Amino acid sequence: MLRWILGGRETQGAVEKNTVLVIGDEQPKNVYTELQVLKGHFDIVRFLVQIDNFRFASGGDDGLVLVWNVETGERLQELRGHSQQITAMAAYSRPGRWAPHTDLLTASSDRTLSMWDPDTGNRVQTVSDLQSSVKCLLVLGQLSLWISGGNEMCVWNRNFDLLCRTDHHSDAGIAAMVELPKNCIAAAVDKEIVIYRLSSVANEADMVVTEVRRLTDHRDSIRALITINDQLFASGSHIGELIVWHSLDWTPQVFECILWDHPHVSPQEEIKLGGQKQSEMSIHHMASVGEFIAAAVGSGLYIYNILTRSVVAYRKTAHDSNIRQILLLPDGTFAKTTYGQNIASGTVKLGSFSHSFLQLMSCSEDGSVRIWELQDLPLPAEPASAGFFGMWSFGRTSKQASQPVKKVQEAPALCTLELIGDLIGHSGAIQMFINFTDRGLVSCSTDHLIIIWKNGERESRLRSSSLFHKLDQNGGL
Amino acid sequence: MISSPDLVAFTKENDFGDANVDNSLLPEEFNVPPFPYSENENPWSKTSYAKFTKDFILISEFSEQVGPQPLLTIPDGPKVCGTFDLNYFSLRIMSVDYQASFMGHPPGCNYPKLNFVEDSKVVLGDSKEGAFAYVHHLTLYDLEARGFVRPFCVAYISADERKIMQQFLELSAEFSKASECLKTGNRKAFANEIEKKLKDLEYTRAILHKETELQKESNGCFSTQAIEKANELANVEKSIYEHKDLLRQITSYPNRKMKDPDFLPYDSENIVESPDLGQDPVNDSKPQGQSDSPDIKRSPSYTPQLIKAKSAKCFDKRLKTLEELCDLYFYHQTMDQLKQIEKTFRGDLCHIYTNQIGQALLKNQKVTNFLFEDYSSWEEEETDKDTYNEKDNLLNNLPPPAIIQAGEPVSLESYTSCVETLHIKMDPGDKVKEFQEEDSTETCAYDIAQGLSDECIDAMMKGSLSSGESIEVLGTEKSFKVQGPQLNEPVTHLSPHYPVIGRKRVVTKRANSEDSIEVLSTTDSIIPEDLRASYPIYEEDCSDTGEDCTSNMHEPIFSINSDTVAHNECVYGTADLVQMDVTCCMGQEGLNYKVPSPELGQECSANGVVKQEPQSCPQGDLALQVDFTFDDASISDGPASATTPYELNPNCLSDGTSRMTLDDCSDSTSFMSTSTCSDRTHPPFLYGSPITVKQKRKAGQCALRFIRQYPFAQQAIHCLLSGRPLVVLGSDERTVRKLVSALSIYVPNLGKYGESVKAWLSSPFQLTDLQIWKLIGIHKVASPAGFSILHSLKRYGRYISILDADQKTLRCPPYRGTLVERLADHRTQIKHGSTYFLHAQSSLTRLCAKAFLYTFCHHLHLSVNPSEEQEVVAARRTQFLRHFSCDPEDGKVLQFLSELIKCHYLRGPGKGVSPPIFGFNYVTSVVYKI
């Protein structure tokens, strides 16, 4: 623990002055030892969508949608058609004859919606002249419908028939949508969460969407909306409010306001921080696995346990700048754990097991992906101080640094998020990443690049076996 | 590395089969024929009496006005040939018409017929001058020349007879190419000339016609003037007809061989459409400015003279120069090719030979040679495969429709025309001809062969004695077409007789060799294309019989005449060659050597001539020729030894063979000072041009200095070998470039053009650059640009190692292994850069071999049985790596090389569609200081 802090500070040097936490080059737990840089986009790459086990699509501000093979890094298809930047992408699977067939839905600022066949690269369907550009897409697999959210919400079927739509919302439009049980949909519209219900009218073909409820508990615009499980969904706002809702009766279950700053910080200090406060508080992204919710709060990470309704671990400054996306890996690709089994058998109880199985990945505007591991605090004082020491930026006095230590000591269940690896490669903000588990991790960035991070050992093994396969085919050298 | 002289050793020729028995013996591929022992043990003293120091190429012409005369030498300059008498030598090599071209009016045809004559290839020796030459005779067309032909020859002159003999095949191939190029240009120019002439004639005819009409009107139909005019007109008509026919002949010349993109396709349309380069000199050079310019044509009094001028040969007429005879473009291309040939064959035979062996071996290391080998030496094989047909066409192209139309009869005819002239000169009698037509059985052939050979010797002795001249043709061998399914029998039958023949030859030679040019051998380059298909059978036959014959054959010859040994030993590059060699010779003796090609069906008309002078040592060139076809056929699938000599890369050789430069030697004293930075710094690689061995040797010099200067050289080299990009940082461009070029020899998979190296970069690099560049020189400046560079260095610090040339520090992962130790021992006793380069190359080859083994050991990567755990395999792998070297860092080198090999093997040499893979390790770096 101490080692990496020291090592980190040593290497911080002149370049990354603001780096709070730097792991050294020694990363034994980091398996990503091979990378492939995929070039093809001419502008910021914003979206990545997994199509199937080995393919993914990327979309960017250049209006291009590219389909890639994650194993070889080959570019399989180039889907051209959008004249402006891509604003939303989704994969739309339907059962095929032998295997489910996946199409790709894309929305662009040119106010068109398209469906593509990633096998052939054909544009299967397209709708243009929408009233507003679509900001989010939600596929309802069971109903074989999909919903586009912009300034209004539209419900479509597979054949691109518009089934129904809502009224015009505000200019802010729908930022995010999640599917709720009983044909309900939660849509984040600025500060509110609007619950819609889809119901079919007499004949099956037509659908009606009705607004059921507006949840107005957030005091600022909602940035993140996720489903936790059948009963719960969560939302996070710009000022760090995290609310967990019940999926059926839409009542708030948990209200947590994440304030990095200690309550009794001096007024002077608060003013000093005032400028940065909002973005530091903003919940950009959330992820959940099991009973854990992870939230990207500014450039920090925050893990909450909904069973115990308590914070499990947090790092105020996990990255140098805002975190764009986080990913929880319950049975991680990094370490073999039995967590998945524990969850399945329901034996998981807080405090009764080690947290070391839980891994988390985060990508940030600073261009790096970091891999964290939830670890118990071996000793209450020392690592905590180290951790919190790291959390403070350099301008702060040591007086403040000592204060959070108390808090940690007060919360016995608190764990630390230990940095076990970071992936450095992009030279711009990482917009998104998707995890192909064994096959690797794909990240896309403002530097127009996509990088596939792979497990070098596994790849080497695969290459060996294909080598011997080819050798067999050729009948020797 | 492989071509390093250290590896060359002598082995016996006939123990190839049981090579496994004795491990101490080198494999057959490394075999170099031993230097024949004579009273003078020094192999280099032999050539000392030649009057020139270096080999050169001579172009001579047999001028119809002044006789044989030298035209030019390559390289040019008075120093080239020293006191060597070119005139004299030209006289000698041009004095016999080996091409036997027949021109003019063949019987039964009352207008001139162009003969498309094949080039002849002769090896001539002048023992007095100490000069030996490969002579390539060719004929160019000239409308103003006698019989429309101008005989030329291109000769490669060397003081080393063995070199000529052993490199015969390569020389023949290269010279054929050059000759073909020249002839193509000539045909183009010739066609142009005829067309112009035709225009003149047409014009003349029109004028004459008018005049005739005038005469008829004024003087009556039967006046003398009218009849004269009518006769003139008829003559012009005839002339037009003849010229049209000539044009048809020359333009109908098959152009199929011209698929090679290097050549301008030549066809009749082109001539009309493009009055290009070649035409101007032709125009200008017209002696009297006859008839070409429209102005002159307009004067009617002139035109009748045109025909007369053509028919009357005057000796004061200026003949066209070689340059004028040929389309300029082709002329220059030919000259370039000849220069290239000169470069290619520069240097000692041993050197050329070792290079060839090395390259032949390299070509077989398809799996690993991309790692550290010089691309030029093996890479062209792939391209060769594609262009091979074209190459063949180029070499065998000559048979035009006029000569070979449909197989047997025509070719026979064309052949006999060649034979006839030889008969005239050598007076072998008609038996040969008779024999040609005979489809004799093997015993019969054998008898005749015996008889003939005696006879021929007699005939030849007579001929040479009676000639009064001291020129002796020791042997020619015309268009030997490999024949006969009964390959085996004649060989076995005839082998005992060979020595006899050899002895006879010796006698003749002794009798006349005082002052003589010996025609050691000649061949024609006709190799039926179909033969290639039949190659496998052929090879089998040879290998079956070749071995026992070898032993029978060579010893007697050795004992008889040491001079012949050289010839006999010609092409013993490889076991197969040896076998080929011998069997071919026998086949030749045996006259019954049938082409095993099913489709060919061509009678081998060559045998008659072969029998004429069998007593020279034709086995050498025969072998060459057969081997030549052998090569053609086996290029892709032949065994290791089969592909030996042919595909030399001119680039590689030219640079590779050039001797150690003064630079290299003089450098060796200056490493100890750390600030050495001589002005001789060469930009390591010109981007865009292939890296040559020469550059690498220069780099070797730098590398030697580097490892002596920097105690952390091993670490730096380890970085490169384990695939970690190394950045050389410095403010002085020259220093950085020097370091980069020094280190470049350690970069695996450097690429043909050195793509993996960026010698000098002044802008920040990206991650994508690291995928490609494994060695980067970076400009260190204190400026915003410098800052962003620094930023990228810091950002990607974990992927790279940084060598700071200014502060003399290296930041890289620690390395304590032993693998690189030998490669970069700063106490090394090696003094010369090129020596060190070879040392490094051989070390790297060892490494390659290990990596190969590691990669292709099945059980190191895959489980032996399905139940086996991945961990077990991994443990085995670790065990294996530990066996090679104790240090895990060394294991990384092997692993990296292994990954490269895998990728190369899976993807092929091309980069493929998928982006490159960049592997790295998470290792803490440390800083090394001087």
Coordinates of all heavy atoms in Angstrom, one line a residue, chain A residues 393-450:
Chain A
S393 N -5.9 17.1 -2.8 CA -5.0 17.7 -3.8 C -4.0 18.5 -3.1 O -4.0 18.7 -1.9 CB -5.8 18.6 -4.7 OG -6.4 19.6 -4.0
F394 N -3.0 18.9 -3.8 CA -1.8 19.4 -3.2 C -2.0 20.7 -2.5 O -1.2 21.0 -1.6 CB -0.7 19.5 -4.3 CG -0.1 18.2 -4.7 CD1 -0.7 17.5 -5.7 CD2 0.9 17.7 -3.9 CE1 -0.2 16.2 -6.0 CE2 1.4 16.5 -4.3 CZ 0.9 15.7 -5.3
G395 N -2.9 21.4 -2.9 CA -3.1 22.8 -2.3 C -3.6 22.7 -0.9 O -3.5 23.7 -0.2
R396 N -4.0 21.6 -0.5 CA -4.6 21.5 0.8 C -3.6 21.4 1.9 O -2.5 20.9 1.7 CB -5.6 20.3 0.9 CG -6.5 20.4 -0.2 CD -7.9 19.9 0.2 NE -8.8 20.2 -0.9 CZ -10.0 19.6 -1.0 NH1 -10.3 18.7 -0.1 NH2 -10.8 19.9 -1.9
T397 N -4.0 21.8 3.1 CA -3.1 21.7 4.2 C -3.3 20.3 4.8 O -4.2 19.6 4.6 CB -3.4 22.7 5.3 OG1 -4.8 22.5 5.7 CG2 -3.3 24.1 4.7
S398 N -2.3 20.0 5.6 CA -2.4 18.6 6.2 C -3.4 18.6 7.3 O -3.8 17.5 7.8 CB -1.0 18.3 6.8 OG -0.6 19.3 7.7
K399 N -3.9 19.7 7.7 CA -4.9 19.8 8.8 C -6.2 19.0 8.3 O -6.7 18.2 9.0 CB -5.2 21.2 9.1 CG -6.0 21.4 10.4 CD -6.3 22.8 10.7 CE -7.7 23.1 10.4 NZ -8.0 24.5 10.5
Q400 N -6.6 19.4 7.1 CA -7.8 18.7 6.6 C -7.5 17.2 6.3 O -8.4 16.4 6.5 CB -8.2 19.4 5.3 CG -9.1 20.6 5.5 CD -8.3 21.8 5.7 OE1 -7.2 22.0 5.3 NE2 -8.9 22.8 6.5
A401 N -6.3 17.0 6.0 CA -6.0 15.6 5.6 C -6.3 14.6 6.8 O -6.6 13.5 6.6 CB -4.6 15.5 5.2
S402 N -6.1 15.1 7.9 CA -6.2 14.2 9.1 C -7.7 14.0 9.4 O -8.0 13.0 10.0 CB -5.5 14.8 10.3 OG -6.1 16.1 10.6
Q403 N -8.6 14.9 9.0 CA -9.9 14.8 9.4 C -10.7 13.6 8.9 O -11.4 12.9 9.6 CB -10.7 16.1 9.0 CG -10.3 17.2 10.0 CD -10.8 18.5 9.4 OE1 -11.1 18.6 8.3 NE2 -10.8 19.5 10.3
P404 N -10.5 13.2 7.6 CA -11.3 12.1 7.1 C -10.9 10.8 7.8 O -11.7 9.9 7.8 CB -11.0 12.1 5.6 CG -10.5 13.4 5.3 CD -9.8 13.9 6.5
V405 N -9.7 10.8 8.3 CA -9.3 9.6 9.0 C -10.2 9.2 10.1 O -10.6 8.1 10.2 CB -7.9 9.8 9.5 CG1 -7.4 8.5 10.3 CG2 -6.9 10.1 8.4
K406 N -10.6 10.2 10.8 CA -11.6 10.0 11.8 C -12.8 9.3 11.3 O -13.4 8.3 11.8 CB -12.0 11.3 12.5 CG -11.0 11.8 13.5 CD -11.5 13.1 14.1 CE -10.4 14.0 14.5 NZ -10.9 15.4 14.6
K407 N -13.3 9.8 10.2 CA -14.5 9.3 9.6 C -14.4 7.8 9.2 O -15.3 7.0 9.5 CB -14.9 10.1 8.4 CG -16.3 9.8 7.9 CD -16.6 10.5 6.6 CE -17.9 9.9 6.0 NZ -18.2 10.4 4.7
V408 N -13.2 7.5 8.7 CA -13.0 6.2 8.3 C -13.0 5.3 9.5 O -13.6 4.2 9.6 CB -11.6 6.0 7.6 CG1 -11.3 4.6 7.4 CG2 -11.7 6.7 6.3
Q409 N -12.4 5.8 10.5 CA -12.4 4.9 11.7 C -13.8 4.8 12.3 O -14.1 3.8 13.0 CB -11.4 5.6 12.8 CG -10.0 5.3 12.4 CD -9.0 6.2 13.1 OE1 -9.4 7.3 13.6 NE2 -7.8 5.8 13.2
E410 N -14.6 5.8 12.1 CA -15.9 5.7 12.6 C -16.8 4.6 11.9 O -17.7 4.1 12.4 CB -16.6 7.1 12.5 CG -16.2 8.0 13.6 CD -16.5 9.5 13.1 OE1 -17.2 9.7 12.1 OE2 -15.9 10.4 13.7
A411 N -16.4 4.4 10.6 CA -17.2 3.5 9.8 C -16.4 2.2 9.7 O -15.6 2.0 8.9 CB -17.5 4.1 8.4
P412 N -16.8 1.2 10.5 CA -16.0 0.0 10.5 C -16.1 -0.9 9.3 O -15.2 -1.6 8.9 CB -16.6 -0.7 11.7 CG -18.0 -0.2 11.9 CD -17.9 1.2 11.4
A413 N -17.2 -0.7 8.6 CA -17.4 -1.6 7.4 C -16.7 -1.1 6.2 O -16.7 -1.6 5.1 CB -18.9 -1.7 7.1
L414 N -16.0 0.0 6.3 CA -15.4 0.7 5.1 C -14.3 -0.1 4.6 O -13.4 -0.6 5.3 CB -15.0 2.1 5.5 CG -14.7 3.0 4.3 CD1 -16.0 3.3 3.6 CD2 -14.1 4.3 4.8
C415 N -14.3 -0.3 3.3 CA -13.1 -0.9 2.6 C -12.4 0.1 1.8 O -12.8 1.3 1.7 CB -13.6 -2.0 1.7 SG -14.7 -3.2 2.5
T416 N -11.3 -0.3 1.2 CA -10.6 0.6 0.3 C -10.8 0.1 -1.1 O -10.9 -1.1 -1.3 CB -9.2 0.7 0.6 OG1 -8.6 -0.6 0.5 CG2 -8.9 1.3 2.0
L417 N -10.7 1.0 -2.0 CA -10.6 0.7 -3.4 C -9.1 0.8 -3.8 O -8.6 1.8 -3.8 CB -11.4 1.7 -4.3 CG -12.9 1.4 -4.5 CD1 -13.5 2.5 -5.2 CD2 -13.0 0.1 -5.3
E418 N -8.6 -0.4 -4.0 CA -7.2 -0.3 -4.3 C -6.9 -0.4 -5.8 O -7.5 -1.2 -6.5 CB -6.4 -1.5 -3.6 CG -5.0 -1.6 -4.0 CD -4.1 -1.7 -2.8 OE1 -4.7 -2.0 -1.7 OE2 -2.9 -1.6 -3.0
L419 N -6.1 0.5 -6.2 CA -5.8 0.5 -7.7 C -4.8 -0.6 -8.0 O -3.8 -0.8 -7.4 CB -5.1 1.9 -8.0 CG -4.7 2.1 -9.4 CD1 -5.9 2.1 -10.3 CD2 -4.0 3.5 -9.5
I420 N -5.3 -1.5 -8.9 CA -4.4 -2.6 -9.2 C -3.9 -2.5 -10.6 O -3.1 -3.4 -11.0 CB -5.1 -4.0 -9.0 CG1 -6.4 -4.0 -9.9 CG2 -5.4 -4.2 -7.6 CD1 -6.9 -5.5 -10.0
G421 N -4.3 -1.6 -11.3 CA -3.8 -1.5 -12.7 C -4.3 -0.3 -13.4 O -5.4 0.2 -13.1
D422 N -3.6 0.2 -14.3 CA -4.2 1.2 -15.2 C -3.8 1.0 -16.6 O -2.7 0.4 -16.9 CB -3.9 2.6 -14.7 CG -2.4 2.9 -14.7 OD1 -1.6 1.9 -14.8 OD2 -2.0 4.1 -14.6
L423 N -4.6 1.4 -17.5 CA -4.3 1.2 -18.9 C -4.2 2.6 -19.5 O -5.1 3.4 -19.6 CB -5.5 0.5 -19.6 CG -6.0 -0.8 -18.9 CD1 -7.1 -1.4 -19.7 CD2 -4.8 -1.8 -18.9
I424 N -2.9 2.8 -20.0 CA -2.6 4.1 -20.6 C -2.4 3.9 -22.0 O -1.6 3.0 -22.4 CB -1.4 4.7 -19.9 CG1 -1.8 5.0 -18.4 CG2 -1.0 6.0 -20.6 CD1 -0.6 5.5 -17.6
G425 N -3.0 4.6 -22.8 CA -2.8 4.5 -24.2 C -3.5 5.6 -25.0 O -2.9 6.2 -25.9
H426 N -4.7 6.0 -24.6 CA -5.4 7.1 -25.3 C -4.7 8.4 -24.9 O -4.2 8.6 -23.8 CB -6.8 7.1 -24.9 CG -7.6 6.0 -25.5 ND1 -7.9 5.9 -26.8 CD2 -8.2 4.9 -24.9 CE1 -8.6 4.8 -27.1 NE2 -8.8 4.2 -26.0
S427 N -4.8 9.3 -25.9 CA -4.3 10.6 -25.6 C -5.4 11.6 -25.4 O -5.1 12.8 -25.2 CB -3.3 11.0 -26.7 OG -4.0 10.9 -28.0
G428 N -6.6 11.1 -25.4 CA -7.7 12.0 -25.2 C -8.7 11.3 -24.2 O -8.4 10.2 -23.8
A429 N -9.7 12.0 -23.9 CA -10.7 11.5 -22.9 C -11.3 10.2 -23.4 O -11.6 10.1 -24.6 CB -11.8 12.5 -22.7
I430 N -11.4 9.3 -22.6 CA -12.0 8.0 -22.9 C -13.5 8.2 -22.8 O -14.0 8.6 -21.8 CB -11.5 6.8 -22.1 CG1 -10.0 6.7 -22.3 CG2 -12.3 5.6 -22.4 CD1 -9.4 5.5 -21.6
Q431 N -14.2 7.9 -23.9 CA -15.6 8.2 -23.9 C -16.4 7.0 -23.3 O -17.4 7.1 -22.7 CB -16.1 8.4 -25.3 CG -15.5 9.6 -26.0 CD -16.0 10.9 -25.4 OE1 -17.1 11.0 -24.9 NE2 -15.2 12.0 -25.4
M432 N -15.9 5.8 -23.6 CA -16.7 4.7 -23.3 C -15.8 3.4 -23.3 O -14.8 3.5 -24.0 CB -17.8 4.5 -24.3 CG -19.0 3.7 -23.8 SD -20.3 3.8 -25.0 CE -21.3 2.5 -24.4
F433 N -16.1 2.4 -22.6 CA -15.5 1.2 -22.9 C -16.5 0.0 -22.7 O -17.5 0.2 -22.1 CB -14.2 1.0 -22.0 CG -14.5 1.0 -20.5 CD1 -15.2 -0.1 -19.9 CD2 -14.0 2.0 -19.7 CE1 -15.5 -0.1 -18.6 CE2 -14.2 1.9 -18.3 CZ -15.0 0.9 -17.8
I434 N -16.2 -1.1 -23.4 CA -17.0 -2.3 -23.2 C -16.1 -3.4 -22.9 O -14.9 -3.4 -23.3 CB -17.9 -2.6 -24.4 CG1 -17.1 -2.6 -25.7 CG2 -19.1 -1.7 -24.4 CD1 -18.0 -3.0 -26.8
N435 N -16.6 -4.4 -22.2 CA -15.8 -5.4 -21.7 C -16.2 -6.7 -22.4 O -17.4 -7.1 -22.3 CB -15.9 -5.6 -20.2 CG -15.0 -6.6 -19.6 OD1 -14.0 -6.9 -20.2 ND2 -15.3 -7.1 -18.4
F436 N -15.3 -7.3 -23.0 CA -15.5 -8.6 -23.7 C -15.0 -9.8 -22.8 O -14.7 -10.8 -23.3 CB -14.9 -8.7 -25.0 CG -15.7 -8.1 -26.1 CD1 -15.6 -6.7 -26.4 CD2 -16.6 -8.8 -26.9 CE1 -16.3 -6.1 -27.4 CE2 -17.3 -8.3 -27.9 CZ -17.2 -6.9 -28.2
T437 N -14.9 -9.5 -21.5 CA -14.3 -10.4 -20.5 C -13.0 -11.0 -21.1 O -12.0 -10.3 -21.2 CB -15.3 -11.5 -20.1 OG1 -15.7 -12.2 -21.2 CG2 -16.5 -10.9 -19.4
D438 N -13.0 -12.3 -21.4 CA -11.8 -13.0 -21.9 C -11.2 -12.3 -23.1 O -10.0 -12.3 -23.2 CB -12.2 -14.4 -22.2 CG -12.0 -15.3 -21.0 OD1 -11.6 -14.8 -20.0 OD2 -12.3 -16.5 -21.2
R439 N -12.0 -11.9 -24.0 CA -11.5 -11.4 -25.2 C -10.8 -10.0 -25.1 O -10.1 -9.6 -26.0 CB -12.5 -11.4 -26.3 CG -12.9 -12.8 -26.7 CD -13.9 -12.7 -27.8 NE -14.3 -14.1 -28.3 CZ -15.1 -14.9 -27.7 NH1 -15.7 -14.5 -26.6 NH2 -15.3 -16.1 -28.2
G440 N -11.1 -9.4 -24.1 CA -10.5 -8.1 -23.9 C -11.4 -7.0 -23.5 O -12.6 -7.2 -23.3
L441 N -10.8 -5.8 -23.5 CA -11.6 -4.6 -23.1 C -11.4 -3.6 -24.3 O -10.3 -3.5 -24.8 CB -11.0 -4.1 -21.9 CG -11.6 -2.8 -21.3 CD1 -12.8 -3.2 -20.5 CD2 -10.6 -2.1 -20.4
V442 N -12.5 -3.0 -24.7 CA -12.4 -2.1 -25.8 C -12.7 -0.7 -25.3 O -13.7 -0.5 -24.6 CB -13.4 -2.4 -26.9 CG1 -13.2 -1.5 -28.1 CG2 -13.2 -3.9 -27.3
S443 N -11.9 0.3 -25.6 CA -12.1 1.6 -25.2 C -12.1 2.5 -26.4 O -11.3 2.3 -27.3 CB -11.1 2.0 -24.1 OG -9.8 2.0 -24.7
C444 N -12.9 3.6 -26.3 CA -12.8 4.6 -27.4 C -12.6 5.9 -26.8 O -13.0 6.2 -25.7 CB -14.1 4.5 -28.2 SG -15.6 5.0 -27.3
S445 N -12.1 6.8 -27.6 CA -11.7 8.1 -27.1 C -11.8 9.2 -28.0 O -12.1 9.1 -29.2 CB -10.2 7.9 -26.6 OG -9.5 9.1 -26.6
T446 N -11.6 10.4 -27.5 CA -11.7 11.6 -28.3 C -10.5 11.7 -29.2 O -10.5 12.5 -30.2 CB -11.6 12.9 -27.4 OG1 -10.7 12.6 -26.3 CG2 -13.0 13.2 -26.9
D447 N -9.5 10.9 -29.0 CA -8.3 10.9 -29.9 C -8.6 10.1 -31.2 O -7.6 9.8 -31.9 CB -7.0 10.5 -29.2 CG -7.1 9.1 -28.7 OD1 -8.1 8.4 -29.0 OD2 -6.2 8.6 -28.1
H448 N -9.8 9.8 -31.5 CA -10.3 9.1 -32.7 C -9.9 7.7 -32.7 O -10.1 7.0 -33.7 CB -9.7 9.8 -34.0 CG -9.9 11.3 -34.0 ND1 -9.4 12.0 -35.1 CD2 -10.5 12.1 -33.2 CE1 -9.7 13.3 -34.9 NE2 -10.3 13.4 -33.7
L449 N -9.4 7.2 -31.6 CA -8.9 5.8 -31.7 C -9.7 4.9 -30.8 O -10.4 5.3 -29.9 CB -7.4 5.7 -31.1 CG -6.4 6.5 -31.8 CD1 -5.0 6.4 -31.1 CD2 -6.3 6.1 -33.3
I450 N -9.7 3.7 -31.2 CA -10.3 2.6 -30.4 C -9.1 1.7 -30.0 O -8.3 1.4 -30.8 CB -11.3 1.8 -31.2 CG1 -12.4 2.8 -31.6 CG2 -11.9 0.7 -30.3 CD1 -13.3 2.2 -32.6

